[in-house]
């Protein structure tokens, strides 16, 4: 292909039709850059799954083209998949901002992984390859050092916003609105803009308002111990909490590994200067309740996080007191509402007060742009084409409507799924052929071997239980040695359902004897037991437990 005929391909391997798992690819001839490598936390029906990550088959097949992985910021849905990606694909260089690279180093160390080419960029960095170049625009988000990515190709300029909001009174530096406007004046072909809050009208509240709300909470709890749960990665929120505790003469005890890591990174990078405010549990014994704030993970109801263990009464160092005040300084991530409500109910049952964003509306503000801010980004960047990213379908669709209201023609907007390819050429932007994309499940240290069949089996077991039939066959005489043994878990209590168990034993014996009288085949016999028992038990009880036949073949000579 001649260079003049070459096209730029843009597509997502994660982040479209979902909140999380972000990974975007920009490819021109033999140069390919990846933007972000996040994870998505599983919903309740994905039993036993720890994370959902991207299918990176396309990257593996085009490994020789990969130039770099570029990280917009340090949240889990943007960096959480890096260690998994590196196990499957060779990445020459990873570029991240200062805070992001610190968090990535922690992840690599935790996994005992060595990676030499982790490079820190800043607002002035320019990465140049033969055909494409990459620049960075500072943005405002709930974590420091967040950036939009500008990729210049022979077919035009692409802007990836990363996660952003427009905050005129931020805790950290302002977004570089002037650089955005200058880029828009120069000309942008395609804008990839996040859509998480597209359905929320207006502007997001400033982080400065959270300061006031936190102050109100601490004032109301001037005689109580405060337990505050928030995202560990929300380093600006942690900075808020530290300042509020300092003003209210409280010391902070942190719980949760990720919270400890975030605190250490904030201190290392000068975001938190007064380290004396942090104490351990032993030092807290000498303080009044009104002088203590416990800062912990678990704001999303994660079962193993510190707050969940506190609510369940199994935390080794923290026991709830009747007058404790629990503060959720966060909003539910889509899909987490049920687990959060379970924790809140458990806390109420313990008799403590619980403050959420619905009780104190400004105790949390989103780090994601709402509708008017998304319009503002479109007006600043002035793209010819828009591809909404990072959001469920309804969010992407609403973002498209916002773009149309800002003057972008509908046929210049692209609602895509993971794997859909958008082609940029010298004529414009249009759809191309799909690439392979999908979900890969991580269960412990196992990646990708937990498929839909396994998940279906787990759901079946969780709903109707397991029934194991143990059959001993005398292969010499082709007879049952003893009656079948039935064991169940999660199906029925054997002692209280003796009659049913005897009927199942008799049914299994009937199936086995019938098989032994004919042409005996071990696999066929197992399948026949499963088939007939399923019908038999469903007719009896209206349930379908997972049936596991175990057949012991014994050569018992005369």
């Amino acid at each position: 292909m001649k260079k003049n005929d070459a096209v730029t391909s843009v597509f997502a391997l994660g982040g479209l039709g979902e909140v999380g798992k972000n990974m975007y690819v920009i490819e021109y001839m033999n140069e390919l850059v990846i933007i972000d490598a996040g994870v998505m936390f599983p919903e309740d029906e994905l039993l036993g799954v720890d994370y959902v990550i991207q299918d990176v088959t396309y990257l593996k097949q085009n490994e020789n083209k990969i130039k770099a992985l570029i990280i917009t910021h340090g949240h889990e849905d943007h960096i959480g998949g890096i260690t998994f990606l590196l196990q499957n694909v060779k990445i020459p260089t990873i570029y991240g901002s200062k805070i992001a690279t610190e968090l990535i180093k922690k992840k690599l160390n935790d996994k005992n992984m060595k990676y030499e080419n982790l490079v820190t960029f800043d607002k002035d960095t320019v990465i140049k390859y033969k055909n494409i170049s990459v620049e960075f625009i500072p943005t405002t988000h709930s974590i420091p050092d967040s950036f939009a990515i500008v990729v210049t190709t022979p077919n035009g300029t692409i802007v990836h916003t990363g996660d952003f909001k427009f905050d005129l009174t931020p805790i950290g530096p302002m977004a570089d609105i002037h650089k955005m406007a200058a880029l828009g004046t120069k000309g942008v072909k395609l804008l990839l803009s996040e859509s998480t809050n597209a359905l929320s009208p207006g502007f997001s509240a400033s982080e400065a308002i959270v300061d006031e709300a936190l102050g109100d909470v601490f004032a109301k709890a001037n005689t109580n111990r405060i337990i505050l749960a928030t995202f560990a990665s929300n380093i600006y929120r942690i900075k808020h909490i530290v300042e509020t505790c300092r003003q209210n003469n409280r010391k902070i005890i942190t719980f949760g590994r990720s919270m400890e890591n975030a605190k250490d990174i904030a201190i290392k990078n000068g975001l938190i200067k007064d380290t004396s405010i942090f104490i351990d549990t032993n030092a807290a014994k000498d303080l009044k309740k009104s002088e203590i704030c416990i800062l912990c993970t678990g704001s999303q109801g994660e079962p193993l996080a510190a707050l969940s263990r506190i609510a369940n009464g199994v935390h080794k160092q923290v026991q709830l007191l009747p007058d404790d005040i629990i503060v959720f300084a966060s909003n539910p991530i889509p899909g987490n509402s049920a687990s959060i409500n379970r924790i809140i109910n458990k806390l109420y049952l313990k008799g403590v007060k619980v403050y959420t964003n619905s009780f104190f509306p400004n105790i949390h503000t989103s780090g994601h742009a709402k509708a008017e801010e998304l319009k503002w980004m479109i007006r600043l960047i002035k793209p010819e084409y828009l591809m909404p990213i990072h959001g469920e379908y309804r969010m992407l669709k609403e973002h498209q409507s916002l773009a149309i209201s800002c003057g972008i023609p509908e046929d210049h907007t692209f609602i895509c799924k993971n794997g859909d390819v958008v082609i940029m050429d010298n004529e414009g932007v249009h759809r191309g052929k799909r690439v392979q994309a999908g979900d890969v499940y991580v269960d412990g240290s196992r990646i990708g071997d937990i498929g839909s069949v396994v998940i279906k089996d787990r759901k079946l077991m969780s709903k109707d239980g397991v029934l194991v039939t143990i059959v001993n066959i005398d292969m010499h005489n082709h007879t049952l040695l003893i009656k079948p043994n039935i064991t169940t878990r999660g199906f029925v209590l054997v002692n209280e359902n003796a009659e049913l168990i005897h009927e199942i034993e008799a049914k299994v014996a009937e199936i086995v004897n019938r098989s032994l009288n004919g042409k005996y085949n071990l696999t066929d016999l197992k399948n026949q037991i499963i088939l007939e028992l399923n019908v038999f038990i469903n007719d009896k009880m209206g349930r379908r437990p997972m049936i596991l036949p175990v057949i012991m073949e014994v050569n018992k000579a005369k």
Side-chain angles (χ1 to χ4, degrees), residues 417-431:
K417 299 176 182 177
N418 295 329
D420 288 353
V421 177
V422 170
I423 299 293
M424 284 175 44
D425 56 27
N426 295 329
E427 301 299 318
V429 180
H430 55 89
R431 291 184 182 270

Side-chain angles (χ1 to χ4, degrees), residues 310-454:
I310 292 170
N312 289 319
V314 295
H315 198 286
K316 292 180 179 179
Q317 295 170 290
V318 182
Q319 296 297 319
L320 285 173
L321 302 174
D323 59 347
D324 279 343
I325 289 180
I326 317 294
V327 180
F328 282 77
S330 63
N331 273 343
I333 293 173
N336 289 352
S337 295
S339 55
I340 294 170
N341 288 335
R342 280 195 292 270
I343 296 301
I344 291 173
N345 283 326
K346 287 178 181 179
L347 291 168
Y348 270 107
L349 284 168
K350 300 282 186 181
V352 300
K353 284 186 178 180
V354 181
Y355 292 161
T356 63
N357 204 39
S358 58
F359 188 89
F360 272 96
N362 292 322
I363 201 66
H364 171 74
T365 180
S366 177
H368 299 275
K370 291 187 177 182
E372 295 305 313
E373 294 159 276
L374 295 175
K375 291 179 186 177
W376 194 3
M377 178 63 80
I378 291 168
R379 293 298 191 187
L380 284 169
I381 298 297
K382 300 175 185 174
E384 291 182 52
Y385 299 84
L386 173 77
M387 177 178 163
I389 60 169
H390 194 189
E392 297 170 1
Y393 177 79
R394 60 200 172 106
M395 302 167 186
L396 305 179
K397 189 68 178 173
E398 181 61 25
H399 198 166
Q400 179 190 47
S401 297
L402 296 173
I404 293 169
S405 72
C406 289
I408 296 179
E410 185 173 355
D411 62 357
H412 281 213
T413 63
F414 297 90
I415 304 294
C416 296
K417 299 176 182 177
N418 295 329
D420 288 353
V421 177
V422 170
I423 299 293
M424 284 175 44
D425 56 27
N426 295 329
E427 301 299 318
V429 180
H430 55 89
R431 291 184 182 270
K433 293 182 180 179
R434 278 182 55 82
V435 301
Q436 182 172 330
D439 292 342
V440 173
Y441 301 139
V442 179
D443 184 350
S445 60
R446 304 174 74 86
I447 303 172
D449 59 352
I450 308 299
S452 58
V453 174
V454 175

Side-chain angles (χ1 to χ4, degrees), residues 66-305:
I66 298 172
K67 297 300 179 183
L69 167 62
I70 301 169
I71 301 299
T72 58
H73 65 283
H75 278 155
E76 281 296 293
D77 55 339
H78 297 263
I79 67 169
I82 289 176
T83 55
F84 304 116
L85 178 64
L86 291 175
Q87 292 176 54
N88 290 288
V89 182
K90 290 179 182 178
I91 305 295
T93 311
I94 299 175
Y95 291 94
S97 62
K98 193 174 181 183
I99 294 294
T101 51
E102 292 285 351
L103 289 166
I104 293 167
K105 285 176 187 175
K106 289 271 188 186
K107 285 188 171 298
L108 294 170
N109 289 336
D110 288 345
K111 296 277 188 178
N112 293 317
M113 294 177 67
K114 290 185 178 180
Y115 184 82
E116 302 298 330
N117 297 324
L118 183 57
V119 178
T120 302
F121 66 75
D122 61 27
K123 62 184 180 63
D124 298 317
T125 302
V126 179
I127 305 166
K128 290 187 177 181
Y129 299 107
K130 182 178 179 182
N131 297 301
I132 64 177
S133 64
V134 183
E135 299 177 66
F136 305 92
I137 305 175
T139 57
T140 301
H141 189 42
S142 55
I143 188 171
D145 293 342
S146 297
F147 285 85
I149 313 296
V150 182
V151 181
T152 302
T153 77
N155 301 120
T157 298
I158 302 164
V159 175
H160 182 298
T161 65
D163 290 356
F164 76 97
K165 65 185 287 186
F166 287 113
D167 189 341
L168 301 182
T169 54
I171 298 303
M174 275 276 295
D176 195 339
I177 298 170
H178 303 292
K179 191 170 184 178
M180 293 176 190
L183 194 63
T185 301
K186 188 177 177 182
V188 171
K189 193 76 161 280
L190 178 64
L191 174 64
L192 279 60
S193 183
E194 76 131 323
S195 309
T196 317
N197 267 349
L199 293 164
S200 301
F203 290 86
S204 58
S206 170
E207 279 288 336
I209 293 175
V210 177
D211 261 344
E212 299 174 18
L214 277 173
D216 290 343
V217 170
F218 277 68
K220 286 180 181 292
N222 57 3
T223 61
N224 310 75
R225 186 174 67 169
I226 293 176
I227 300 176
L228 209 153
T230 191
F231 296 109
S233 58
N234 194 338
I235 293 176
Y236 280 140
R237 186 64 42 75
I238 296 171
K239 179 179 169 65
H240 273 311
I241 293 162
V242 168
E243 288 301 310
T244 305
C245 286
R246 186 179 60 79
Q247 292 165 12
N248 288 272
N249 194 32
R250 286 185 187 257
K251 297 292 186 181
I252 299 174
I253 311 168
T254 55
F255 289 109
R257 187 174 183 181
S258 56
M259 189 65 75
E260 290 284 345
N261 288 342
K263 178 193 77 175
D264 293 343
I265 289 170
I267 291 169
K268 181 178 178 180
N269 288 277
L271 293 163
I272 297 173
K273 296 182 170 60
D274 181 12
T275 57
S276 66
I277 200 164
F278 296 101
I279 60 170
D280 59 25
T281 50
N282 290 326
K285 294 175 183 177
D286 299 323
L287 298 177
K288 299 175 184 176
K289 293 183 290 184
S290 60
E291 296 174 335
I292 298 171
C293 175
I294 294 172
L295 179 59
C296 64
T297 55
S299 65
Q300 297 301 302
E302 307 95 310
L304 298 180

